[in-house]
Amino acid sequence: MFTVPEVPAELTLLLCTVFGYLFGSIPFGIVLTKPFGYDLRSIGSGNIGATNVLRTGRKDLALATLVMDAGKGGIAAALAGMLVDTSGSLVAGCAAVLGHNFPIWLRFKGGKGVATTLGVLFLTAWPVGAIACGIWFLMALLTRYSSLSALIALGTAPASAWFLASPIHAAAFAGLAILAFVRHHENIRRLFQGTESKIRLGKTQ
């Protein structure tokens, strides 16, 4: 009787990493805005995420970018979780964030991974993701700083995960939070200097 050989755990995690990275590296912000004549790299911060898409004045494209960037992190984690286990899910999700931040298609110059990280949080530990999203929206309403809102939301996620999920979730989310702080180092500097841009709904010329 033919039996399917067992795949080594190391190879499985490697496949989850590769899949997550490639899926996460799809630059939806550019894909969605380019057909409408926008060069996202020359607008605002030059970032490929939803916040910069909003600076085009196209709220619909910004919302679509937000949903799709979050979705690629969540989908990568969910598929790996269905086919492997929790570890594979977290590995694929974290790899998707790395793919968004350092996409091979854009010479490793990508976004900051906030929406993608939130997607991973929500699909791997939905209470943690829900709390993080709530914190982001609350802080965004109060401060109008997208970067500050993201840092607070992601920075508190490991603590939420420790109580609401598991230590492995907390460790993975801590790594994603550290990555977010590193990617936002310029925003942090501008926040201290009082020169950080606030969220605006109008089009930036």
Side-chain angles (χ1 to χ4, degrees):
M1 181 176 179
F2 178 77
T3 57
V4 178
E6 182 177 351
V7 179
E10 294 80 3
L11 178 58
T12 299
L13 292 179
L14 176 61
L15 293 175
C16 288
T17 301
V18 174
F19 164 69
Y21 173 83
L22 292 177
F23 194 55
S25 67
I26 303 172
F28 285 116
I30 292 178
V31 171
L32 291 172
T33 57
K34 191 171 183 180
F36 294 93
Y38 297 108
D39 180 7
L40 204 56
R41 289 301 197 175
S42 63
I43 296 174
S45 64
N47 196 276
I48 66 173
T51 299
N52 204 42
V53 174
L54 186 61
R55 295 189 176 105
T56 66
R58 291 293 301 266
K59 300 175 189 177
D60 55 341
L61 295 180
L63 178 60
T65 300
L66 176 66
V67 171
M68 296 179 80
D69 280 349
K72 65 186 180 183
I75 290 172
L79 287 178
M82 292 170 57
L83 297 175
V84 189
D85 54 17
T86 299
S87 297
S89 177
L90 290 171
V91 167
C94 291
V97 177
L98 288 174
H100 178 82
N101 289 353
F102 310 104
I104 189 172
W105 328 111
L106 301 177
R107 299 182 181 180
F108 304 104
K109 296 179 180 179
K112 296 175 182 176
V114 175
T116 308
T117 299
L118 289 174
V120 174
L121 298 187
F122 205 90
L123 265 294
T124 56
W126 74 262
V128 179
I131 290 173
C133 289
I135 291 174
W136 189 95
F137 280 114
L138 177 62
M139 294 306 301
L141 288 174
L142 293 175
T143 69
R144 307 297 292 180
Y145 287 118
S146 176
S147 57
L148 179 61
S149 303
L151 293 174
I152 294 175
L154 299 186
T156 57
S160 299
W162 183 266
F163 293 103
L164 299 175
S166 70
I168 189 174
H169 286 86
F173 298 166
L176 292 177
I178 292 172
L179 178 60
F181 273 80
V182 172
R183 295 293 289 170
H184 282 81
H185 69 278
E186 293 182 354
N187 303 84
I188 294 172
R189 174 177 54 80
R190 290 194 294 267
L191 284 167
F192 278 110
Q193 294 175 345
T195 59
E196 175 72 338
S197 299
K198 290 189 175 183
I199 298 173
R200 293 184 177 86
L201 299 181
K203 182 176 179 178
T204 299
Q205 299 296 331

mmCIF file of all heavy atoms in Angstrom, residues 90-131:
data_model
loop_
_atom_site.group_PDB
_atom_site.id
_atom_site.type_symbol
_atom_site.label_atom_id
_atom_site.label_comp_id
_atom_site.label_asym_id
_atom_site.label_seq_id
_atom_site.Cartn_x
_atom_site.Cartn_y
_atom_site.Cartn_z
ATOM 1 N N LEU A 90 1.906 31.103 12.171
ATOM 2 C CA LEU A 90 2.626 32.286 12.625
ATOM 3 C C LEU A 90 3.847 32.564 11.750
ATOM 4 O O LEU A 90 4.157 33.719 11.448
ATOM 5 C CB LEU A 90 3.050 32.118 14.084
ATOM 6 C CG LEU A 90 1.910 32.143 15.100
ATOM 7 C CD1 LEU A 90 2.406 31.738 16.483
ATOM 8 C CD2 LEU A 90 1.272 33.530 15.151
ATOM 9 N N VAL A 91 4.530 31.501 11.319
ATOM 10 C CA VAL A 91 5.693 31.672 10.447
ATOM 11 C C VAL A 91 5.275 32.289 9.113
ATOM 12 O O VAL A 91 5.896 33.239 8.621
ATOM 13 C CB VAL A 91 6.399 30.318 10.208
ATOM 14 C CG1 VAL A 91 7.396 30.421 9.058
ATOM 15 C CG2 VAL A 91 7.121 29.882 11.470
ATOM 16 N N ALA A 92 4.210 31.753 8.514
ATOM 17 C CA ALA A 92 3.732 32.282 7.236
ATOM 18 C C ALA A 92 3.258 33.723 7.389
ATOM 19 O O ALA A 92 3.501 34.570 6.521
ATOM 20 C CB ALA A 92 2.607 31.403 6.692
ATOM 21 N N GLY A 93 2.562 34.015 8.478
ATOM 22 C CA GLY A 93 2.085 35.377 8.703
ATOM 23 C C GLY A 93 3.221 36.363 8.876
ATOM 24 O O GLY A 93 3.209 37.450 8.275
ATOM 25 N N CYS A 94 4.200 36.003 9.679
ATOM 26 C CA CYS A 94 5.360 36.883 9.877
ATOM 27 C C CYS A 94 6.134 37.068 8.572
ATOM 28 O O CYS A 94 6.618 38.158 8.273
ATOM 29 C CB CYS A 94 6.280 36.318 10.959
ATOM 30 S SG CYS A 94 5.580 36.374 12.631
ATOM 31 N N ALA A 95 6.233 35.984 7.789
ATOM 32 C CA ALA A 95 6.922 36.069 6.501
ATOM 33 C C ALA A 95 6.168 36.996 5.555
ATOM 34 O O ALA A 95 6.783 37.712 4.750
ATOM 35 C CB ALA A 95 7.067 34.682 5.888
ATOM 36 N N ALA A 96 4.843 37.003 5.632
ATOM 37 C CA ALA A 96 4.045 37.897 4.783
ATOM 38 C C ALA A 96 4.333 39.356 5.126
ATOM 39 O O ALA A 96 4.405 40.207 4.230
ATOM 40 C CB ALA A 96 2.558 37.594 4.957
ATOM 41 N N VAL A 97 4.500 39.649 6.406
ATOM 42 C CA VAL A 97 4.848 41.017 6.810
ATOM 43 C C VAL A 97 6.224 41.391 6.265
ATOM 44 O O VAL A 97 6.424 42.501 5.766
ATOM 45 C CB VAL A 97 4.822 41.150 8.342
ATOM 46 C CG1 VAL A 97 5.254 42.556 8.767
ATOM 47 C CG2 VAL A 97 3.423 40.863 8.887
ATOM 48 N N LEU A 98 7.156 40.466 6.346
ATOM 49 C CA LEU A 98 8.483 40.718 5.777
ATOM 50 C C LEU A 98 8.396 40.940 4.272
ATOM 51 O O LEU A 98 9.098 41.795 3.720
ATOM 52 C CB LEU A 98 9.420 39.541 6.079
ATOM 53 C CG LEU A 98 9.890 39.392 7.519
ATOM 54 C CD1 LEU A 98 10.680 38.094 7.688
ATOM 55 C CD2 LEU A 98 10.748 40.582 7.940
ATOM 56 N N GLY A 99 7.539 40.169 3.599
ATOM 57 C CA GLY A 99 7.366 40.340 2.167
ATOM 58 C C GLY A 99 6.809 41.707 1.821
ATOM 59 O O GLY A 99 7.228 42.329 0.836
ATOM 60 N N HIS A 100 5.862 42.192 2.628
ATOM 61 C CA HIS A 100 5.313 43.529 2.396
ATOM 62 C C HIS A 100 6.367 44.599 2.638
ATOM 63 O O HIS A 100 6.464 45.570 1.880
ATOM 64 C CB HIS A 100 4.119 43.766 3.321
ATOM 65 C CG HIS A 100 3.528 45.135 3.195
ATOM 66 N ND1 HIS A 100 2.637 45.481 2.193
ATOM 67 C CD2 HIS A 100 3.731 46.273 3.912
ATOM 68 C CE1 HIS A 100 2.303 46.755 2.313
ATOM 69 N NE2 HIS A 100 2.960 47.255 3.350
ATOM 70 N N ASN A 101 7.144 44.433 3.683
ATOM 71 C CA ASN A 101 8.155 45.439 4.028
ATOM 72 C C ASN A 101 9.353 45.424 3.078
ATOM 73 O O ASN A 101 9.919 46.484 2.789
ATOM 74 C CB ASN A 101 8.659 45.206 5.453
ATOM 75 C CG ASN A 101 7.623 45.544 6.504
ATOM 76 O OD1 ASN A 101 6.568 46.071 6.194
ATOM 77 N ND2 ASN A 101 7.918 45.228 7.752
ATOM 78 N N PHE A 102 9.709 44.239 2.609
ATOM 79 C CA PHE A 102 10.902 44.095 1.763
ATOM 80 C C PHE A 102 10.586 43.245 0.530
ATOM 81 O O PHE A 102 11.122 42.151 0.361
ATOM 82 C CB PHE A 102 12.042 43.459 2.563
ATOM 83 C CG PHE A 102 12.312 44.114 3.890
ATOM 84 C CD1 PHE A 102 11.886 43.519 5.068
ATOM 85 C CD2 PHE A 102 12.969 45.336 3.961
ATOM 86 C CE1 PHE A 102 12.126 44.116 6.290
ATOM 87 C CE2 PHE A 102 13.211 45.943 5.177
ATOM 88 C CZ PHE A 102 12.795 45.338 6.350
ATOM 89 N N PRO A 103 9.707 43.736 -0.359
ATOM 90 C CA PRO A 103 9.310 42.945 -1.536
ATOM 91 C C PRO A 103 10.431 42.845 -2.564
ATOM 92 O O PRO A 103 11.051 43.849 -2.927
ATOM 93 C CB PRO A 103 8.118 43.722 -2.090
ATOM 94 C CG PRO A 103 8.367 45.132 -1.663
ATOM 95 C CD PRO A 103 9.026 45.043 -0.319
ATOM 96 N N ILE A 104 10.658 41.646 -3.027
ATOM 97 C CA ILE A 104 11.717 41.436 -4.010
ATOM 98 C C ILE A 104 11.415 42.179 -5.302
ATOM 99 O O ILE A 104 12.327 42.619 -6.017
ATOM 100 C CB ILE A 104 11.901 39.921 -4.268
ATOM 101 C CG1 ILE A 104 13.143 39.666 -5.132
ATOM 102 C CG2 ILE A 104 10.654 39.327 -4.899
ATOM 103 C CD1 ILE A 104 13.491 38.198 -5.266
ATOM 104 N N TRP A 105 10.118 42.376 -5.624
ATOM 105 C CA TRP A 105 9.726 43.023 -6.870
ATOM 106 C C TRP A 105 10.047 44.515 -6.873
ATOM 107 O O TRP A 105 10.142 45.119 -7.937
ATOM 108 C CB TRP A 105 8.233 42.834 -7.108
ATOM 109 C CG TRP A 105 7.693 41.546 -6.583
ATOM 110 C CD1 TRP A 105 6.839 41.373 -5.535
ATOM 111 C CD2 TRP A 105 7.989 40.224 -7.064
ATOM 112 N NE1 TRP A 105 6.577 40.044 -5.325
ATOM 113 C CE2 TRP A 105 7.263 39.320 -6.249
ATOM 114 C CE3 TRP A 105 8.786 39.729 -8.107
ATOM 115 C CZ2 TRP A 105 7.323 37.939 -6.434
ATOM 116 C CZ3 TRP A 105 8.844 38.358 -8.289
ATOM 117 C CH2 TRP A 105 8.123 37.489 -7.473
ATOM 118 N N LEU A 106 10.206 45.105 -5.684
ATOM 119 C CA LEU A 106 10.484 46.541 -5.574
ATOM 120 C C LEU A 106 11.866 46.790 -4.985
ATOM 121 O O LEU A 106 12.086 47.779 -4.284
ATOM 122 C CB LEU A 106 9.408 47.217 -4.704
ATOM 123 C CG LEU A 106 7.961 47.098 -5.201
ATOM 124 C CD1 LEU A 106 7.003 47.748 -4.202
ATOM 125 C CD2 LEU A 106 7.821 47.741 -6.577
ATOM 126 N N ARG A 107 12.780 45.885 -5.269
ATOM 127 C CA ARG A 107 14.145 45.992 -4.759
ATOM 128 C C ARG A 107 14.177 46.113 -3.242
ATOM 129 O O ARG A 107 14.968 46.856 -2.674
ATOM 130 C CB ARG A 107 14.876 47.174 -5.420
ATOM 131 C CG ARG A 107 14.998 47.042 -6.929
ATOM 132 C CD ARG A 107 15.757 48.198 -7.541
ATOM 133 N NE ARG A 107 15.855 48.064 -8.991
ATOM 134 C CZ ARG A 107 16.464 48.934 -9.788
ATOM 135 N NH1 ARG A 107 17.015 50.034 -9.252
ATOM 136 N NH2 ARG A 107 16.512 48.734 -11.090
ATOM 137 N N PHE A 108 13.293 45.377 -2.602
ATOM 138 C CA PHE A 108 13.212 45.276 -1.144
ATOM 139 C C PHE A 108 12.839 46.599 -0.463
ATOM 140 O O PHE A 108 13.083 46.771 0.727
ATOM 141 C CB PHE A 108 14.530 44.736 -0.573
ATOM 142 C CG PHE A 108 14.926 43.417 -1.171
ATOM 143 C CD1 PHE A 108 15.935 43.337 -2.128
ATOM 144 C CD2 PHE A 108 14.268 42.241 -0.814
ATOM 145 C CE1 PHE A 108 16.289 42.115 -2.693
ATOM 146 C CE2 PHE A 108 14.610 41.020 -1.383
ATOM 147 C CZ PHE A 108 15.621 40.962 -2.321
ATOM 148 N N LYS A 109 12.232 47.520 -1.226
ATOM 149 C CA LYS A 109 11.797 48.796 -0.667
ATOM 150 C C LYS A 109 10.269 48.814 -0.647
ATOM 151 O O LYS A 109 9.620 49.212 -1.609
ATOM 152 C CB LYS A 109 12.344 49.962 -1.498
ATOM 153 C CG LYS A 109 13.863 50.053 -1.480
ATOM 154 C CD LYS A 109 14.359 51.198 -2.343
ATOM 155 C CE LYS A 109 15.881 51.273 -2.327
ATOM 156 N NZ LYS A 109 16.386 52.386 -3.194
ATOM 157 N N GLY A 110 9.710 48.366 0.462
ATOM 158 C CA GLY A 110 8.266 48.232 0.556
ATOM 159 C C GLY A 110 7.644 49.142 1.586
ATOM 160 O O GLY A 110 8.087 50.272 1.785
ATOM 161 N N GLY A 111 6.624 48.642 2.245
ATOM 162 C CA GLY A 111 5.891 49.441 3.215
ATOM 163 C C GLY A 111 6.377 49.221 4.626
ATOM 164 O O GLY A 111 7.500 48.771 4.853
ATOM 165 N N LYS A 112 5.493 49.530 5.568
ATOM 166 C CA LYS A 112 5.855 49.408 6.983
ATOM 167 C C LYS A 112 5.099 48.294 7.679
ATOM 168 O O LYS A 112 5.320 48.026 8.851
ATOM 169 C CB LYS A 112 5.637 50.748 7.683
ATOM 170 C CG LYS A 112 6.568 51.825 7.118
ATOM 171 C CD LYS A 112 6.299 53.193 7.711
ATOM 172 C CE LYS A 112 7.237 54.221 7.058
ATOM 173 N NZ LYS A 112 6.967 55.597 7.534
ATOM 174 N N GLY A 113 4.195 47.660 6.949
ATOM 175 C CA GLY A 113 3.616 46.408 7.413
ATOM 176 C C GLY A 113 2.518 46.486 8.459
ATOM 177 O O GLY A 113 2.167 45.459 9.042
ATOM 178 N N VAL A 114 1.953 47.663 8.695
ATOM 179 C CA VAL A 114 0.953 47.781 9.757
ATOM 180 C C VAL A 114 -0.313 46.995 9.426
ATOM 181 O O VAL A 114 -0.764 46.154 10.212
ATOM 182 C CB VAL A 114 0.607 49.260 10.020
ATOM 183 C CG1 VAL A 114 -0.519 49.356 11.049
ATOM 184 C CG2 VAL A 114 1.834 50.012 10.499
ATOM 185 N N ALA A 115 -0.907 47.242 8.259
ATOM 186 C CA ALA A 115 -2.137 46.541 7.886
ATOM 187 C C ALA A 115 -1.896 45.035 7.779
ATOM 188 O O ALA A 115 -2.721 44.235 8.230
ATOM 189 C CB ALA A 115 -2.671 47.088 6.557
ATOM 190 N N THR A 116 -0.776 44.649 7.195
ATOM 191 C CA THR A 116 -0.470 43.230 7.049
ATOM 192 C C THR A 116 -0.301 42.573 8.415
ATOM 193 O O THR A 116 -0.773 41.454 8.639
ATOM 194 C CB THR A 116 0.803 43.036 6.204
ATOM 195 O OG1 THR A 116 0.672 43.756 4.973
ATOM 196 C CG2 THR A 116 1.019 41.564 5.883
ATOM 197 N N THR A 117 0.358 43.274 9.331
ATOM 198 C CA THR A 117 0.515 42.752 10.688
ATOM 199 C C THR A 117 -0.832 42.609 11.382
ATOM 200 O O THR A 117 -1.103 41.597 12.049
ATOM 201 C CB THR A 117 1.427 43.668 11.515
ATOM 202 O OG1 THR A 117 2.724 43.728 10.916
ATOM 203 C CG2 THR A 117 1.570 43.146 12.948
ATOM 204 N N LEU A 118 -1.700 43.604 11.230
ATOM 205 C CA LEU A 118 -3.024 43.517 11.841
ATOM 206 C C LEU A 118 -3.803 42.330 11.280
ATOM 207 O O LEU A 118 -4.546 41.655 12.012
ATOM 208 C CB LEU A 118 -3.798 44.820 11.607
ATOM 209 C CG LEU A 118 -3.302 46.037 12.391
ATOM 210 C CD1 LEU A 118 -4.058 47.296 11.973
ATOM 211 C CD2 LEU A 118 -3.442 45.818 13.902
ATOM 212 N N GLY A 119 -3.630 42.063 9.990
ATOM 213 C CA GLY A 119 -4.275 40.894 9.397
ATOM 214 C C GLY A 119 -3.784 39.603 10.012
ATOM 215 O O GLY A 119 -4.566 38.681 10.276
ATOM 216 N N VAL A 120 -2.488 39.527 10.267
ATOM 217 C CA VAL A 120 -1.911 38.340 10.897
ATOM 218 C C VAL A 120 -2.438 38.182 12.321
ATOM 219 O O VAL A 120 -2.813 37.077 12.745
ATOM 220 C CB VAL A 120 -0.367 38.427 10.902
ATOM 221 C CG1 VAL A 120 0.234 37.264 11.698
ATOM 222 C CG2 VAL A 120 0.174 38.419 9.483
ATOM 223 N N LEU A 121 -2.469 39.289 13.069
ATOM 224 C CA LEU A 121 -2.982 39.231 14.439
ATOM 225 C C LEU A 121 -4.415 38.720 14.456
ATOM 226 O O LEU A 121 -4.784 37.863 15.264
ATOM 227 C CB LEU A 121 -2.934 40.622 15.086
ATOM 228 C CG LEU A 121 -1.578 41.315 15.261
ATOM 229 C CD1 LEU A 121 -1.746 42.587 16.068
ATOM 230 C CD2 LEU A 121 -0.577 40.404 15.936
ATOM 231 N N PHE A 122 -5.230 39.265 13.573
ATOM 232 C CA PHE A 122 -6.656 38.934 13.573
ATOM 233 C C PHE A 122 -6.900 37.481 13.198
ATOM 234 O O PHE A 122 -7.771 36.825 13.778
ATOM 235 C CB PHE A 122 -7.408 39.859 12.620
ATOM 236 C CG PHE A 122 -8.859 40.017 12.953
ATOM 237 C CD1 PHE A 122 -9.290 41.020 13.801
ATOM 238 C CD2 PHE A 122 -9.803 39.149 12.430
ATOM 239 C CE1 PHE A 122 -10.623 41.162 14.129
ATOM 240 C CE2 PHE A 122 -11.147 39.281 12.744
ATOM 241 C CZ PHE A 122 -11.557 40.290 13.599
ATOM 242 N N LEU A 123 -6.150 36.964 12.231
ATOM 243 C CA LEU A 123 -6.396 35.594 11.760
ATOM 244 C C LEU A 123 -5.733 34.531 12.630
ATOM 245 O O LEU A 123 -6.152 33.371 12.613
ATOM 246 C CB LEU A 123 -5.929 35.441 10.312
ATOM 247 C CG LEU A 123 -6.997 35.628 9.223
ATOM 248 C CD1 LEU A 123 -8.050 34.534 9.297
ATOM 249 C CD2 LEU A 123 -7.658 36.995 9.325
ATOM 250 N N THR A 124 -4.715 34.901 13.404
ATOM 251 C CA THR A 124 -4.056 33.912 14.258
ATOM 252 C C THR A 124 -4.553 33.972 15.699
ATOM 253 O O THR A 124 -4.475 32.972 16.417
ATOM 254 C CB THR A 124 -2.525 34.109 14.250
ATOM 255 O OG1 THR A 124 -2.208 35.457 14.639
ATOM 256 C CG2 THR A 124 -1.949 33.823 12.879
ATOM 257 N N ALA A 125 -5.052 35.117 16.119
ATOM 258 C CA ALA A 125 -5.593 35.273 17.480
ATOM 259 C C ALA A 125 -6.562 36.452 17.430
ATOM 260 O O ALA A 125 -6.200 37.580 17.767
ATOM 261 C CB ALA A 125 -4.477 35.511 18.493
ATOM 262 N N TRP A 126 -7.794 36.179 16.999
ATOM 263 C CA TRP A 126 -8.718 37.272 16.681
ATOM 264 C C TRP A 126 -8.991 38.231 17.842
ATOM 265 O O TRP A 126 -9.160 39.436 17.597
ATOM 266 C CB TRP A 126 -10.027 36.718 16.106
ATOM 267 C CG TRP A 126 -10.939 36.060 17.096
ATOM 268 C CD1 TRP A 126 -11.054 34.731 17.353
ATOM 269 C CD2 TRP A 126 -11.884 36.713 17.950
ATOM 270 N NE1 TRP A 126 -11.995 34.503 18.324
ATOM 271 C CE2 TRP A 126 -12.532 35.713 18.707
ATOM 272 C CE3 TRP A 126 -12.243 38.047 18.154
ATOM 273 C CZ2 TRP A 126 -13.510 35.994 19.657
ATOM 274 C CZ3 TRP A 126 -13.217 38.333 19.094
ATOM 275 C CH2 TRP A 126 -13.841 37.322 19.838
ATOM 276 N N PRO A 127 -9.025 37.772 19.116
ATOM 277 C CA PRO A 127 -9.227 38.771 20.177
ATOM 278 C C PRO A 127 -8.087 39.796 20.238
ATOM 279 O O PRO A 127 -8.328 40.981 20.462
ATOM 280 C CB PRO A 127 -9.284 37.924 21.461
ATOM 281 C CG PRO A 127 -9.695 36.561 21.003
ATOM 282 C CD PRO A 127 -9.014 36.404 19.673
ATOM 283 N N VAL A 128 -6.877 39.320 20.015
ATOM 284 C CA VAL A 128 -5.722 40.223 20.005
ATOM 285 C C VAL A 128 -5.820 41.179 18.827
ATOM 286 O O VAL A 128 -5.578 42.386 18.959
ATOM 287 C CB VAL A 128 -4.405 39.422 19.934
ATOM 288 C CG1 VAL A 128 -3.201 40.370 19.900
ATOM 289 C CG2 VAL A 128 -4.302 38.473 21.118
ATOM 290 N N GLY A 129 -6.183 40.655 17.668
ATOM 291 C CA GLY A 129 -6.338 41.498 16.493
ATOM 292 C C GLY A 129 -7.432 42.528 16.673
ATOM 293 O O GLY A 129 -7.281 43.690 16.270
ATOM 294 N N ALA A 130 -8.554 42.114 17.282
ATOM 295 C CA ALA A 130 -9.659 43.040 17.501
ATOM 296 C C ALA A 130 -9.249 44.167 18.443
ATOM 297 O O ALA A 130 -9.572 45.344 18.215
ATOM 298 C CB ALA A 130 -10.863 42.288 18.070
ATOM 299 N N ILE A 131 -8.518 43.825 19.491
ATOM 300 C CA ILE A 131 -8.054 44.849 20.438
ATOM 301 C C ILE A 131 -7.088 45.803 19.748
ATOM 302 O O ILE A 131 -7.172 47.029 19.910
ATOM 303 C CB ILE A 131 -7.380 44.186 21.651
ATOM 304 C CG1 ILE A 131 -8.428 43.464 22.501
ATOM 305 C CG2 ILE A 131 -6.631 45.222 22.497
ATOM 306 C CD1 ILE A 131 -7.847 42.636 23.622
#
